Amino acid sequence: MRHFLTPFLMSLTVGTAYAGPVENAAILDEIIRPGFAQLTNQTTALATVASHTCAPQSKELRDAYGTAFDAWIELSHFRFGPTEAENRAFALSFWPDPRNAIPRTLNALITAQDPSVQSPDEFSENSIAARGFYALEFLLYDDAFLAIEDRGYVCSLIQAITADMAVISGEISQDWDNRYAVLMLNPSNATYPDEDSVTRELYKALGVGLELLTEARLARPLGTFERPRPARAEARRSERSVRHIEISLTALRALAAQLSAPDAELSQRSADAFDRAIDLAQRVDDPDFSEIRDPAQRIKVEALQQAVQRIRTEIYPDLGALLDVSAGFNALDGD
Amino acid sequence: MRGRRHFLTSLFATTIVPKVGWAAVGSPAYLSAGRDRTGVFFLSGLTENAEITFSVPLPARGHAAAAHPFLAEAVGFARRPGLFAVVIDCSTGAVLATLAPPEGRHFYGHGAYSQDGQFLFTTENDFDASRGIIGVWDATRNYRRVAELSSGGIGPHEMRLMPGGETLVVANGGIATHPKTGRQKLNLPTMQPNLTYLSLTGDILETVELPSDYQLNSIRHLAVSQDGTVAFGMQWQGDRGAAPELLGVHRAEGNVRLFQGDEINHQRMQGYVGSVSFDHTQQRIGVTSPRGGLVQAFDLENGGDLGVFDDADVCGLSANQQGFIATNGNGQITRLTDLRPLERIQHAVQWDNHLVQLTDAHAMPKTRSF
């Protein structure tokens, strides 16, 4: 075990295989499991608020929505195991939605006065486009949905969506506690044959988060210089687009800190790179990217995009080498 | 379908004058894309013994390639979502033609020539309509695009010409993607992969779908034996511990058979097959799993599990004189017999996803194997 090696010997072992059971356990016990427990608490609180206050402009309801959404964004890169079972992550967060399935599906339910809103079981059978945070955002913030006169049905729909979100979050959290954490903490099973496979899974989650940032959360609104696409920004209706980037960067910084813990130098470089990106995100004073056509705004977002890209190209591969999970020219290609 | 009539009339119209044949470029047995240590992407020819016969640069990361049946011409395809395919004169390295997909299309990274070498077929995405397309290009007219066919599904990936040369078999992966969301999978809950047999003029001859439990099993890679048995590798999109069989075998008009190794090796694959190939006897099917770093083989006749060879980041796989030959992302090429390494050669490159066999000449043993 490296813990017993002297600093001199440690310097000789840099770059060799290191399966980090301590770090992996810490990620599970300090990040993932409390994170999903927190998400369950916040979505349950949101459902409770919605059960007595379903006016979309209610501050209480919107605050509860924002708090729960924050909790999800912190976890949105853990796309394996319990979140992938039964399409749970999709049901919580259907984004991006390039075909506008969300408003179409919600409108269909409203027009039909679909009775599934009265039954959690039936509601969970609906298209994922009518479920989760992004569907709820339309009902709470989109002008067309705010203008709907039949508030009774929309209220039932808001209550059904929030209740469904609480159920899904609870299922993910329980699945982690009762099943999946055991698999990852005792890696000699079919899902995780060895400690390296656990490390690789957690390392990949960091990659997923960075990819989501650069290729979706930033790239979608940036579009091209000739054609910026502010309407494609994530959660722009609730003006949460930039906030999500900052929350995600902060969460990924913590994950990278755990993964890089065995190497102080890399750990510091990682922290610095994330700090720089977070600082650049905080300088973007355009919460929904609506001013992305303004070159002065765009340049700030491009600087942020480059900072995240640098984490992907300069920190992420070095971390892979440290963890000896870098061999992935084909494995990470995915085709 | 646009251009189809013209394409039909030209199907038998042209006589090809051979230019330089494969022997002139060191008679490579395989093609593979890769990346060298300076970060340059390339396409190489490789001999049976894994020696490089030629290397020509590619504009960006490649994926698979298609070899002209007799001219020393090969098409290197860009990695998905591909915006180029480069036709290379393998004797000089000269770019003979650069294929760009038409507006609203991108390549998926695989393609196949017609038996006479006149037409090149490419798998493509009509991404706004979320529809799989087979592009048809006339190699005798500077690779002019002459027609496009429906692939019979969404997300066509690998495609092979069937023995006899009159049918294409296409792996329609079922996954919708759009360049504006990169490789994001847009339709997992509703995806429906299939295996489609097409005539060269686009008539759908047969569509094979798996039962609904396999709806998330994206059919991606193919191998075809000399008698027309099709082996297909799949990539599971559901919960990773829940992956069902990832290898299937089908014969036209017949039933599908699904193969799976022992539980641990199956789980090690992480729901992901990279390449599929028959061996030199045509009686064994190999599959690679880069995520698990293993090659497995199965007996075609009875589905028997023939074991495993551990090979980190392995992906490319083809038949070799005495079994299989596998390439990996660490630059190694391993010749295998009965899944034991006969020889391993290290090149200072990273070999990309696929090792494409040039002809059927090596499919049967030249010398008696032992």
Side-chain angles (χ1 to χ4, degrees), chain B residues 28-223:
Chain B
Y30 311 100
L31 299 174
S32 177
R35 179 171 70 176
D36 74 15
R37 281 188 174 159
T38 63
V40 172
F41 295 101
F42 62 84
L43 181 70
S44 277
L46 292 158
T47 66
E48 279 280 353
N49 297 323
E51 290 144 0
I52 295 174
T53 65
F54 70 86
S55 274
V56 290
L58 294 175
R61 183 168 179 181
H63 184 72
H68 191 283
F70 48 87
L71 296 181
E73 286 180 23
V75 187
F77 293 100
R79 174 179 183 265
R80 179 174 66 90
L83 294 178
F84 72 86
V86 192
V87 184
I88 293 166
D89 179 335
C90 297
S91 62
T92 62
V95 174
L96 298 175
T98 301
L99 280 54
E103 177 94 16
R105 311 276 185 269
H106 69 71
F107 293 127
Y108 276 109
H110 288 267
Y113 278 91
S114 61
Q115 206 160 39
D116 63 4
Q118 184 179 357
F119 295 105
L120 172 71
F121 301 91
T122 54
T123 51
E124 299 173 9
N125 186 8
D126 171 4
F127 43 79
D128 284 328
S130 199
R131 197 166 66 106
I133 292 290
I134 308 299
V136 187
W137 313 74
D138 187 340
T140 64
R141 291 191 293 164
N142 199 28
Y143 289 87
R144 183 193 302 182
R145 189 178 181 90
V146 289
E148 64 180 36
L149 319 172
S150 167
S151 78
I154 292 174
H157 195 70
E158 189 158 7
M159 169 174 52
R160 295 287 184 118
L161 187 68
M162 295 289 287
E166 293 180 351
T167 305
L168 291 164
V169 58
V170 185
N172 284 301
I175 298 174
T177 56
H178 195 290
K180 68 188 175 187
T181 45
R183 289 185 159 204
Q184 182 117 14
K185 299 162 184 168
L186 303 174
N187 67 333
L188 290 190
T190 59
M191 64 179 275
Q192 182 55 65
N194 72 46
L195 192 66
T196 296
Y197 294 86
L198 295 172
S199 76
L200 299 192
T201 51
D203 300 313
I204 291 179
L205 306 175
E206 187 177 357
T207 302
V208 181
E209 286 185 358
L210 298 182
S212 59
D213 288 355
Y214 294 83
Q215 175 245 331
L216 291 174
N217 224 3
S218 180
I219 302 176
R220 217 58 95 80
H221 292 110
L222 298 174

Side-chain angles (χ1 to χ4, degrees), chain A residues 80-82 84-85 87 90 94-96 98-99 128 179-180 189-193 197 200-201 204 211-212 215-216 220 232 327-335, chain B residues 35 61 63 79-80 127-128 130 157 180-181 183-186 188-189 220-221 235 239-241 264 267-268 270 272 290-291 313 315 328-330 350-353:
Chain A
F80 58 87
E84 295 316 277
N87 283 320
F90 264 107
F94 182 60
W95 185 83
R99 289 167 205 288
I128 50 168
R179 178 178 71 101
Y180 219 75
N189 52 72
T191 308
Y192 297 103
S197 59
R200 187 176 300 113
E201 188 83 277
K204 271 163 53 187
E211 185 180 322
L212 257 174
E215 293 184 11
R220 281 177 64 79
R232 292 180 174 178
F329 187 59
N330 292 312
L332 296 178
D333 186 48
D335 215 335
Chain B
R35 179 171 70 176
R61 183 168 179 181
H63 184 72
R79 174 179 183 265
R80 179 174 66 90
F127 43 79
D128 284 328
S130 199
H157 195 70
K180 68 188 175 187
T181 45
R183 289 185 159 204
Q184 182 117 14
K185 299 162 184 168
L186 303 174
L188 290 190
R220 217 58 95 80
H221 292 110
Q235 297 178 359
D239 189 13
R240 104 175 212 182
I264 293 290
Q267 292 297 341
R268 283 180 63 200
Q270 300 180 34
Y272 189 96
R291 293 187 177 169
D313 209 33
C315 200
N328 73 30
N330 302 315
Q350 295 178 290
W351 295 113
D352 220 314
N353 284 256

Side-chain angles (χ1 to χ4, degrees), chain A residues 66-298:
Chain A
T67 308
F69 211 164
D70 286 354
W72 166 250
I73 296 304
E74 283 184 33
L75 302 165
S76 56
H77 44 282
F78 292 114
R79 294 294 298 260
F80 58 87
T83 53
E84 295 316 277
E86 296 168 38
N87 283 320
R88 287 172 186 142
F90 264 107
L92 277 181
S93 71
F94 182 60
W95 185 83
D97 176 21
R99 289 167 205 288
N100 288 318
I102 293 174
R104 205 169 57 237
T105 311
L106 290 173
N107 272 318
L109 291 178
I110 294 166
T111 305
Q113 302 276 298
D114 189 286
S116 65
V117 293
Q118 304 302 336
S119 153
D121 279 351
E122 282 180 35
F123 190 78
S124 69
E125 298 291 310
N126 281 323
S127 157
I128 50 168
R131 301 168 67 192
F133 286 103
Y134 300 89
L136 187 56
E137 189 196 26
F138 270 88
L139 299 179
L140 298 190
Y141 291 95
D142 184 79
D143 289 341
F145 284 91
L146 293 175
I148 291 173
E149 288 179 10
D150 176 9
R151 299 315 303 174
Y153 186 81
V154 175
C155 178
S156 302
L157 189 49
I158 289 170
Q159 290 167 342
I161 291 173
T162 53
D164 181 52
M165 288 162 60
V167 169
I168 301 164
S169 305
E171 285 174 359
I172 297 173
S173 185
Q174 279 178 25
D175 201 6
W176 267 110
D177 290 348
N178 299 340
R179 178 178 71 101
Y180 219 75
V182 180
L183 293 179
M184 295 192 91
L185 290 171
N186 304 283
S188 57
N189 52 72
T191 308
Y192 297 103
D194 50 36
E195 194 69 47
D196 279 352
S197 59
V198 178
T199 306
R200 187 176 300 113
E201 188 83 277
L202 298 169
Y203 173 72
K204 271 163 53 187
L206 178 62
V208 165
L210 292 169
E211 185 180 322
L212 257 174
L213 275 171
T214 52
E215 293 184 11
R217 289 178 169 143
L218 284 159
R220 281 177 64 79
L222 271 169
T224 59
F225 185 80
E226 292 74 21
R227 196 176 177 202
R229 305 298 289 262
R232 292 180 174 178
E234 182 194 22
R236 65 179 170 86
R237 292 171 179 81
S238 52
E239 299 187 352
R240 297 178 53 84
S241 315
V242 177
R243 180 183 181 86
H244 283 187
I245 290 164
E246 194 182 331
I247 291 174
S248 175
L249 281 167
T250 306
L252 295 174
R253 183 190 194 279
L255 176 58
Q258 289 286 5
L259 289 170
S260 62
D263 182 333
E265 186 273 336
L266 177 57
S267 204
Q268 188 59 50
R269 273 203 294 135
S270 171
D272 292 347
F274 274 103
D275 285 345
R276 174 170 162 74
I278 291 166
D279 178 55
L280 288 167
Q282 286 167 346
R283 290 175 194 220
V284 179
D285 50 351
D286 177 22
D288 58 353
F289 293 120
S290 56
E291 295 166 28
I292 193 83
R293 289 188 184 89
D294 174 357
Q297 288 292 353
R298 183 177 183 88

Side-chain angles (χ1 to χ4, degrees), chain A residues 38-81:
Chain A
Q38 176 76 350
L39 176 68
T40 306
N41 290 340
Q42 303 298 359
T43 50
T44 304
L46 170 63
T48 305
V49 171
S51 69
H52 60 81
T53 313
C54 60
Q57 275 108 338
S58 150
K59 182 175 186 309
E60 196 187 354
L61 181 59
R62 287 184 169 188
D63 284 351
Y65 171 74
T67 308
F69 211 164
D70 286 354
W72 166 250
I73 296 304
E74 283 184 33
L75 302 165
S76 56
H77 44 282
F78 292 114
R79 294 294 298 260
F80 58 87

